Amino acid sequence: MTSTPETAAGAGAGDASSPWPLPSLRRSGSATQLVVDGAPFLVRGGELGNSSAERTHLAEHWDKLRSLGLNTLVAPVCWDVVEPVEGQFDWSTVDELVEDAAAHGMRLVLLWFGTWKNSMSCYAPGWVKSDVERFPRCRTSSGQALEILTPFSAANRDADARAFAALMGHLRESDERRTVVLVQVENEIGMIPEARDHSAEAETAFDGPVPAELVGYVEDHRGGLAPELADVWEPEVSRRGGSWVEVLGEGPSTDEIFMAWHFARYVQAVVEAGKAQLDLPMYANAALIRPGALPGQYPSAGPLPHLVDVWRAGAPALDFIAPDIYFPNFAEWAGRYARTGDPLFVPEALRSTDAAANALYAYGAHSAIGFSPFGIESIEGDAATLLAAANDVVRQLTPLMTAHAGDGSMTGLLPPTDDQRTPHRVRLGEVVLEASYEREAAPSLADGVINEVGDRSTDTRRLPAGAVVIRTGPDDLVLGGIGVTVTFSPVRPGSEHVGVLSCEEGRYDDGVWTHRRWLNGDETHQGRHLRLEPGRVSLQRVRLYRYR
Ligand code: DGJ
């Protein structure tokens, strides 16, 4: 079967090896967009399970992946598989994946499972793992060796960088169509079970001075640092220079910052080597912090928002950092990453029924460049149905969402807390939206309501609720979502009220609205509100008016 990958424009100028332009990142107002084939591109992604990307296994899943409305697969490339013998590369798994993705009309985000995968070094080739003298390990404070390659070794770094550069060089030559649009470097980097490495090389570095590049970066960015870093960085001491403990004090936070710097430096070398071959946008992803956990109890020093400055200083070639959001407080984590100023891309998310609502929220509230539930080939039941419906809405709204990204005329709605009771007030231009979320099945919500009691693996026991809202004119809004009721009020309280002039349901095809039905009676509570009903993702347009 052959399909054409989605593009919004024809090919522009490419690099010498391809007539197709290289995917890139471009600023648009306060947002950053991923540009593919010369046009803004939203990744409607799904990340494959770690061992699901080989042709023989993936063959039976393509129909399902397409039926989910994905335009991009997020899939690993494993160092041990592509470089089984030092310097000898076998690209067959990569070539098959790129070929099959293109044949099914999908783009790819490739995950470089290199030195680190979820903290460990399980994807390092056997010739690396078994030569512990040449490729040294991290150690605990009691001297125990870990199955984690130390970032304090130039041999480790250079071996990874060479392999990654070979991958990018291979893609430059083989992926002429630019099926690969983004590359993740390593996977969920982070030190466990302690906050930092205690190998001999690490101890020497820890006793040495804080590197001048990091001191300089912090001094140059005072006032704009992540609050957690600003709180611990002593300006007086740092200007004089000093050891990590002198500048930052003793404790897990110092250990984490020290480790983050060295992880970032290592990643910088890998990214630079790769980009020298093919300059695709590159990011690093993070496992997030369990409530109450300390560095080392969670993977310490990864690309986390409180460490963004350290990562930026240490790895300036990296384009952004990204969260893997499995926790229920999706809005909070998405917001923390968005506040760093990086584009929001969620390479991994829980494949629950909430994924549909979380996706719409991420695109709306943060002009996300993509959202991708993990283990996508295994998604089933209501979670799959709702994700496909959300992806359909995102596909329909892509021209609007990319046109409004970063200009203040788009937002997202998601319950700020799990048990949100009071209306959630969100300002959008000259109108305030007051959202209520229908998270529990009420007896009155008879038909079409998902009770979420079937599949325990995807069962959040709460109805999904969330939406994207775009202000397309002074009094015109487009809303796509599920389980949200919205009333409207003016920004300045007074005698003026905001009413619903008319509301309709429909769909966009190639940017053109097709009306399906008016919703001006019971469905809007006789004009009092707009309701995206629970259990079904829908798309509505509303025209507002003001009265006294
Ligand atoms: C996060 C990792 O990044 C993925 O590769 C996978 O291991 C998932 N966790 C499993 O939940």
Side-chain angles (χ1 to χ4, degrees):
M1 202 204 76
T2 304
S3 306
T4 314
E6 282 177 25
T7 64
D15 61 323
S17 57
S18 166
W20 299 94
L22 269 180
S24 60
L25 295 172
R26 186 168 71 197
R27 203 77 192 156
S28 167
S30 63
T32 298
Q33 299 187 315
L34 176 63
V35 176
V36 173
D37 290 351
F41 183 85
L42 299 181
V43 173
R44 303 191 309 271
E47 181 166 328
L48 292 172
N50 296 166
S51 303
S52 296
E54 289 175 64
R55 172 176 272 175
T56 38
H57 184 80
L58 197 50
E60 69 192 63
H61 295 294
W62 283 110
D63 287 348
K64 175 176 180 176
L65 298 172
R66 282 175 59 85
S67 74
L68 291 167
L70 309 182
N71 62 1
T72 307
L73 263 193
V74 180
V77 174
C78 306
W79 185 11
D80 58 344
V81 173
V82 298
E83 196 182 9
V85 176
E86 186 170 8
Q88 292 179 25
F89 293 97
D90 174 357
W91 301 119
S92 52
T93 51
V94 176
D95 292 343
E96 287 168 3
L97 180 63
V98 172
E99 205 177 295
D100 292 352
H104 290 88
M106 298 246 190
R107 303 284 179 164
L108 286 170
V109 174
L110 289 185
L111 314 174
W112 173 238
F113 284 7
T115 300
W116 298 293
K117 158 70 173 69
N118 297 33
S119 301
M120 307 300 286
S121 295
C122 51
Y123 285 103
W127 55 269
V128 171
K129 279 183 189 163
S130 52
D131 191 346
V132 293
E133 294 302 321
R134 186 175 161 207
F135 302 111
R137 309 294 183 85
C138 290
R139 290 183 183 271
T140 64
S141 50
S142 61
Q144 189 194 323
L146 298 166
E147 288 194 283
I148 301 175
L149 291 169
T150 175
F152 296 89
S153 155
N156 293 350
R157 180 196 65 205
D158 295 345
D160 185 326
R162 272 194 301 272
F164 186 63
L167 169 65
M168 298 308 291
H170 179 71
L171 291 175
R172 186 192 62 229
E173 300 305 322
S174 61
D175 181 24
E176 188 184 67
R177 181 62 190 83
R178 302 300 171 226
T179 297
V180 180
V181 296
L182 260 181
V183 178
Q184 178 186 294
V185 184
E186 315 294 340
N187 189 82
E188 292 194 351
I189 293 170
M191 194 62 209
I192 49 169
E194 293 177 75
R196 70 175 175 90
D197 180 10
H198 290 271
S199 63
E201 297 79 0
E203 290 299 311
T204 304
F206 191 67
D207 292 339
V210 177
E213 302 102 296
L214 180 55
V215 173
Y217 183 98
V218 168
E219 292 307 321
D220 290 349
H221 293 82
R222 281 243 173 248
L225 297 174
E228 298 87 346
L229 187 70
D231 280 356
V232 294
W233 198 283
E234 290 288 344
E236 292 313 316
V237 185
S238 96
R239 261 181 229 124
R240 285 199 311 272
S243 73
W244 292 88
V245 170
E246 281 166 345
V247 173
L248 293 162
E250 205 160 346
S253 158
T254 301
D255 290 357
E256 184 178 43
I257 293 168
F258 162 78
M259 201 65 199
W261 170 257
H262 288 283
F263 276 141
R265 294 309 292 157
Y266 190 106
V267 166
Q268 168 70 7
V270 175
V271 169
E272 271 186 321
K275 286 198 173 193
Q277 296 298 320
L278 185 63
D279 191 10
L280 286 177
M282 296 186 189
Y283 71 93
N285 68 328
L288 304 182
I289 304 172
R290 257 181 299 111
L294 292 171
Q297 295 170 337
Y298 68 82
S300 165
L304 288 157
H306 69 283
L307 299 169
V308 65
D309 304 294
V310 183
W311 274 85
R312 276 188 190 146
L318 198 64
D319 292 291
F320 59 92
I321 61 173
D324 293 345
I325 313 183
Y326 289 88
F327 294 134
N329 52 340
F330 183 91
E332 189 182 328
W333 278 109
R336 288 189 67 185
Y337 271 82
R339 280 193 293 280
T340 66
D342 277 0
L344 180 64
F345 176 62
V346 185
E348 293 182 43
L350 194 67
R351 57 171 189 278
S352 68
T353 48
D354 282 338
N358 291 343
L360 294 170
Y361 171 79
Y363 294 112
H366 300 299
S367 301
I369 63 176
F371 177 92
S372 164
F374 178 78
I376 194 66
E377 73 283 14
S378 307
I379 197 167
E380 297 288 356
D382 297 332
T385 306
L386 292 174
L387 182 69
N391 278 334
D392 183 38
V393 164
V394 174
R395 189 182 57 74
Q396 293 178 55
L397 292 182
T398 292
L400 276 181
M401 293 202 292
T402 53
H404 286 263
D407 73 357
S409 62
M410 181 163 71
T411 192
L413 300 171
L414 200 68
T417 59
D418 203 31
D419 58 352
Q420 182 76 20
R421 294 278 175 245
T422 53
H424 176 207
R425 289 170 60 85
V426 177
R427 181 174 172 177
L428 185 59
E430 289 309 303
V431 68
V432 174
L433 316 175
E434 294 193 338
S436 320
Y437 302 98
E438 293 181 59
R439 303 229 62 197
E440 275 148 32
S444 59
L445 306 176
D447 294 333
V449 169
I450 295 165
N451 279 310
E452 304 195 62
V453 286
D455 177 0
R456 295 305 301 265
S457 66
T458 58
D459 179 5
T460 61
R461 298 197 163 269
R462 308 292 301 274
L463 297 178
V468 50
V469 188
I470 308 166
R471 188 164 174 250
T472 52
D475 293 318
D476 293 309
L477 302 179
V478 175
L479 293 95
I482 181 169
V484 188
T485 298
V486 188
T487 59
F488 307 92
S489 58
V491 170
R492 278 161 292 281
S495 54
E496 191 178 72
H497 303 277
V498 179
V500 172
L501 195 63
S502 64
C503 185
E504 59 181 322
E505 187 178 355
R507 59 178 295 116
Y508 281 98
D509 292 295
D510 298 325
V512 179
W513 176 255
T514 304
H515 169 88
R516 179 185 169 96
R517 58 178 182 150
W518 294 106
L519 303 169
N520 296 329
D522 288 346
E523 292 75 17
T524 50
H525 198 10
Q526 339 314 318
R528 293 181 183 86
H529 65 213
L530 175 146
R531 181 165 176 256
L532 299 162
E533 67 187 66
R536 181 173 80 90
V537 179
S538 61
L539 192 55
Q540 297 183 19
R541 294 206 310 190
V542 63
R543 174 156 286 179
L544 305 174
Y545 77 111
R546 314 233 165 198
Y547 65 93
R548 288 174 189 277

